[in-house]
Amino acid sequence: MATAAALLLLILLIVFMLQNTTKVEVHLLGMAATISLGMALLIAAVGGGVVVAIAGVARVAQLRMNARRTRRGASDPEETRDGP
């Protein structure tokens, strides 16, 4: 089922790129390039996905470190003992 959904998404992506062949000028960090509109939007979407993935990985790492600290604190006998 997942393969069929991925194949359908790929077909829609190909149709989108074929329908958006108008050339556009793209500027980034002082550089300029002329590429098709479909390709420019695809690059922007992939770039956005990479940024979201990096943020997600950083957040998961942060949560794991916090959980590890919490587990270590709970297993430390001096911290779980009541006061004097």
Side-chain angles (χ1 to χ4, degrees):
M1 190 65 166
T3 305
L7 186 60
L8 179 63
L9 186 63
L10 182 61
I11 291 170
L12 290 174
L13 181 62
I14 291 170
V15 169
F16 171 79
M17 291 185 71
L18 289 174
Q19 288 180 345
N20 291 288
T21 58
T22 304
K23 297 290 182 185
V24 294
E25 189 171 346
V26 179
H27 299 271
L28 177 66
L29 301 174
M31 298 179 291
T34 303
I35 59 175
S36 70
L37 177 62
M39 184 60 70
L41 291 173
L42 177 65
I43 292 169
V46 169
V50 168
V51 169
V52 168
I54 290 171
V57 167
R59 180 65 178 149
V60 168
Q62 183 183 36
L63 291 172
R64 285 184 180 177
M65 279 189 347
N66 192 16
R68 189 176 303 132
R69 285 184 193 140
T70 303
R71 277 195 307 266
R72 284 184 186 165
S75 65
D76 190 5
E78 289 189 18
E79 287 188 19
T80 56
R81 201 174 4 166
D82 290 333

